Amino acid sequence: DAGVIQSPRHEVTEMGQEVTLRCKPISGHNSLFWYRQTMMRGLELLIYFNNNVPIDDSGMPEDRFSAKMPNASFSTLKIQPSEPRDSAVYFCASNLGVDQPQHFGDGTRLSIL
Amino acid sequence: AQKITQTQPGMFVQEKEAVTLDCTYDTSDPSYGLFWYKQPSSGEMIFLIYQGSYDQQNATEGRYSLNFQKARKSANLVISASQLGDSAMYFCAMREGRGNEKLTFGTGTRLTIIP
């Protein structure tokens, strides 16, 4: 079975540019999560969806960040405009439900110059 | 207060020995779950083991077991017969509240297995 698929794997762009990260969850999984990992803040949840509906977006840093899940097989995390402090590894994960393990994608390493 | 505390930033263990990675948690909700993940140097996050707050027995998965001490609010990961491939970062995480899927992660422990 295919795991969680994220694209791109690496992104380097200049500050002020729009960045779009993409995620395809495991087929049949009901929940999708976006995480950010940095040395300073560790691994933190940005937002999660259940059945395509955003449930908790309290971790979204500010209005520059937005996430959508238009259908069960696709989600995007957008940063506009991007800033150097947004540089991090962004993970997408999915699972079958509460107390089920979250399966992570390989992450997108984002560098904002 | 920190929700998840991992007090060991780094550990060095001889190959084939058992190793215990510490994790303490803080919650007042009776419904919660504890997860352990492994992150090798390649960067992916790998699920290892899960323990629910209402589970009567400690969870086990192959060489991994979870030493769950509810009264002490600790959920230590035990790896038996360590292997070189166990060298990685290990994260403890918790979800709290019925129906809540949000995971809060600890700062991690970097485990190095010495041949």
Side-chain angles (χ1 to χ4, degrees):
Chain A
D1 288 342
V4 175
I5 300 172
Q6 291 186 246
S7 64
R9 289 297 310 277
H10 303 273
E11 174 95 8
V12 181
T13 192
E14 293 187 348
M15 67 177 293
Q17 297 297 307
E18 179 179 288
V19 174
T20 300
L21 310 182
R22 297 173 175 79
C23 176
K24 177 179 169 55
I26 294 173
S27 177
H29 280 192
N30 300 318
S31 297
L32 181 142
F33 307 81
W34 282 101
Y35 289 91
R36 179 172 67 176
Q37 186 176 33
T38 62
M39 289 294 293
M40 291 297 295
R41 299 177 65 89
L43 194 64
E44 51 185 347
L45 178 71
L46 300 177
I47 185 172
Y48 84 89
F49 296 83
N50 182 261
N51 292 324
N52 313 337
V53 176
I55 302 299
D56 186 337
D57 65 354
S58 59
M60 294 287 265
E62 49 199 270
D63 292 344
R64 297 185 298 107
F65 285 68
S66 63
K68 293 182 180 180
M69 192 165 185
N71 57 62
S73 59
F74 184 66
S75 176
T76 58
L77 178 67
K78 190 170 292 187
I79 308 172
Q80 168 63 21
S82 58
E83 296 182 4
R85 60 192 169 121
D86 302 331
S87 297
V89 178
Y90 290 81
F91 287 102
C92 177
S94 69
N95 74 352
L96 284 168
V98 175
D99 290 338
Q100 297 299 311
Q102 294 179 20
H103 297 272
F104 283 70
D106 288 339
T108 295
R109 184 171 295 276
L110 178 64
S111 297
I112 309 297
L113 306 177
Chain B
Q2 293 288 331
K3 290 286 185 183
I4 293 287
T5 302
Q6 295 182 255
T7 57
Q8 307 151 309
M11 288 186 69
F12 291 84
V13 173
Q14 204 76 37
E15 188 180 7
K16 298 180 185 175
E17 289 185 352
V19 57
T20 298
L21 305 180
D22 295 341
C23 173
T24 57
Y25 58 92
D26 182 27
T27 182
S28 57
D29 200 299
S31 174
Y32 56 90
L34 298 152
F35 299 78
W36 277 92
Y37 283 84
K38 171 184 179 181
Q39 187 175 39
S41 57
S42 48
E44 70 267 34
M45 294 287 289
I46 302 167
F47 165 73
L48 296 178
I49 197 166
Y50 164 78
Q51 181 85 43
S53 60
Y54 297 116
D55 293 343
Q56 295 296 313
Q57 295 190 332
N58 287 346
T60 61
E61 288 285 350
R63 294 188 300 113
Y64 304 108
S65 61
L66 206 151
N67 184 1
F68 183 46
Q69 298 188 40
K70 203 168 181 176
R72 298 180 62 183
K73 294 188 175 180
S74 74
N76 298 338
L77 177 70
V78 180
I79 306 174
S80 64
S82 58
Q83 303 170 357
L84 296 178
D86 294 333
S87 295
M89 282 289 288
Y90 288 80
F91 293 95
C92 180
M94 177 178 68
R95 64 135 208 96
E96 57 183 323
R98 185 176 294 278
N100 182 19
E101 296 192 70
K102 177 178 179 177
L103 286 185
T104 301
F105 282 80
T107 52
T109 295
R110 181 173 298 280
L111 176 65
T112 303
I113 305 300
I114 306 166

